[in-house]
Amino acid sequence: VRYPSSRFVDEGIRAGSASSTMGIRLHGIFEKAKDADDLRAAIRRMMLDCLIDENEAITLQLNVDNALREPKICEWFSGEWDDVRIETAIASRDDKSRRPDRVMIKGDRAVVVDYKFGEHKSADYNRQVKRYMTLLKDMGCYNHIEGYVWYIMRGEVEEVCTS
């Protein structure tokens, strides 16, 4: 499995480091998961495909279980959303598409989340999520739009305000 390494370099993670490897693994788990069962299945699938060994699977599962203890994250993977879009492009007026990591929709509420795997925070990440939120607002379908940057390795969720 190969992922663009530039994503992790941009987040201050040295290529080939343990943090880079963990980030790539976690991204692989979260990138297709609509709910908590999908997260567990992704870990099992990685182990069955010999991408990780049993010890790595246990470590990843512990990381996922710890993340799901956070009420906000637990809600994101609750399976109660009308629609979950994972890395789906949102068209913008400048003919460029934006690709948030996760957008969840329920009625007129939309929640956008961007995953970050590095240890450092950046105002650029908040601006990126604000752009996603603005694009969703411009669609005119959602009255309640929330945005978050999830610093996975730090175990932190930062809410992004549009004002």
Side-chain angles (χ1 to χ4, degrees):
V1 175
R2 292 182 183 257
Y3 297 98
S5 59
S6 62
R7 173 187 180 96
F8 300 103
V9 171
D10 290 346
E11 295 176 24
I13 301 174
R14 190 173 45 82
S17 68
S19 293
S20 172
T21 301
M22 181 61 77
I24 289 168
R25 301 272 195 260
L26 287 169
H27 189 271
I29 292 165
F30 291 119
E31 76 175 344
K32 293 182 183 117
K34 293 193 175 195
D35 60 32
D37 290 337
D38 288 347
L39 294 171
R40 291 178 189 93
I43 295 169
R44 281 193 305 277
R45 196 169 38 255
M46 290 174 88
M47 192 171 75
L48 293 173
D49 290 344
C50 298
L51 299 172
I52 59 174
D53 63 27
E54 187 174 355
N55 289 334
E56 287 175 296
I58 290 167
T59 300
L60 288 168
Q61 189 61 57
L62 287 171
N63 282 320
V64 167
D65 290 344
N66 279 341
L68 292 174
R69 285 191 186 97
E70 165 67 41
K72 188 62 65 183
I73 297 168
C74 186
E75 177 191 17
W76 296 341
F77 292 94
S78 68
E80 296 177 4
W81 297 93
D82 296 336
D83 195 8
V84 177
R85 304 287 174 104
I86 302 167
E87 293 192 11
T88 301
I90 302 172
S92 65
R93 292 179 188 185
D94 61 5
D95 289 330
K96 292 182 181 178
S97 64
R98 307 288 188 245
R99 195 176 297 271
D101 288 322
R102 184 178 186 87
V103 177
M104 297 149 291
I105 300 164
K106 188 170 190 173
D108 69 346
R109 178 182 178 213
V111 178
V112 61
V113 178
D114 210 46
Y115 309 142
K116 299 300 175 192
F117 296 93
E119 290 292 331
H120 77 278
K121 292 183 173 187
S122 171
D124 289 340
Y125 303 152
N126 288 43
R127 282 190 287 278
Q128 180 181 17
V129 171
K130 280 183 188 181
R131 282 193 297 272
Y132 299 149
M133 294 169 71
T134 299
L135 290 171
L136 290 171
K137 181 181 178 194
D138 291 347
M139 295 169 105
C141 301
Y142 312 107
N143 291 323
H144 308 285
I145 300 170
E146 300 168 38
Y148 300 90
V149 179
W150 180 12
Y151 295 94
I152 293 176
M153 302 304 277
R154 292 175 62 97
E156 295 178 22
V157 173
E158 188 170 301
E159 186 169 5
V160 176
C161 299
T162 55
S163 53

